[in-house]
Each structure stands twice: as structure tokens, then as C-alpha cells.
């Protein structure tokens, strides 16, 4: 019985330390665009080209507006991988 009382706090500490290192710190996102004045995260990654051109998309419900794709939610880092000409079309 005394060993169970001793092992339970030890196991709790071991689990806490183990779970502290199991989080994902740098998750790659599909990209962000500014839509209706707010940051909007894309559900798919349209920027699949090996070009260094900036990635741009248009939405099927708003075909007249070209949106620049960014790598972060703050919309400060443009995402490469554009087609170099026409923007990618997205059905979001």
C-alpha cells in the first residue's frame, strides 16, 4: 500500500513532464488572406508551385478580387509558390 501511495505522485509528475513536450509548436498552415477586413485561414494550400512568385488566390463567390496569400495570421509574410501569372481559384 505504501508503494502505491509513493508511485502515484511520481507517475503524475512523469505524465506532466511528458505531456509538456508533446505539443506542436510550429504548425504549418495552408495560408491566410485578408477577407472582409479580417484574417481568413485557407482550408487548402493552393500554393503548390516551386516558383518564388507570390501566391495569389481568387474565390469563386468573389471572382473580381485577387487576394494575396500570407504565411501568418498577422498578414505580414507573403507566401511563395504562386503560378507566376494567374491566381489560383478557390471554392471556399
Amino acid at each position: 500500500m505504501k508503494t502505491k501511495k509513493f508511485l502515484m505522485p511520481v507517475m503524475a509528475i512523469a505524465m506532466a513532464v511528458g505531456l509538456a513536450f508533446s505539443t506542436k509548436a510550429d504548425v504549418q498552415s495552408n495560408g491566410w488572406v485578408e477577407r472582409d477586413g479580417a484574417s481568413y485561414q485557407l482550408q487548402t494550400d493552393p500554393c503548390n508551385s516551386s516558383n518564388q512568385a507570390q501566391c495569389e488566390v481568387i474565390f469563386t463567390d468573389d471572382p473580381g478580387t485577387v487576394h494575396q496569400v500570407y504565411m501568418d495570421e498577422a498578414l505580414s509574410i507573403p507566401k511563395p509558390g504562386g503560378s507566376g501569372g494567374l491566381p489560383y481559384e478557390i471554392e471556399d
Side-chain angles (χ1 to χ4, degrees):
M1 187 67 151
K2 288 189 178 203
T3 57
K4 285 185 180 179
K5 286 183 178 180
F6 173 74
L7 285 178
M8 288 184 69
V10 170
M11 290 298 293
I13 292 171
M15 295 282 289
V17 170
L19 291 174
F21 292 105
S22 67
T23 59
K24 293 182 180 179
D26 188 20
V27 177
Q28 181 69 17
S29 91
N30 295 323
W32 295 84
V33 295
E34 182 180 353
R35 198 164 189 205
D36 298 327
S39 298
Y40 176 79
Q41 186 174 18
L42 300 175
Q43 301 302 315
T44 58
D45 187 8
C47 309
N48 53 13
S49 173
S50 61
N51 292 341
Q52 289 300 315
Q54 293 180 355
C55 183
E56 296 177 333
V57 297
I58 56 172
F59 293 96
T60 54
D61 61 348
D62 184 19
T65 306
V66 177
H67 299 276
Q68 171 71 42
V69 179
Y70 296 92
M71 296 178 70
D72 60 337
E73 188 175 4
L75 307 175
S76 62
I77 305 170
K79 187 168 186 170
S83 64
L86 297 173
Y88 297 106
E89 188 172 333
I90 296 181
E91 295 181 18
D92 274 354

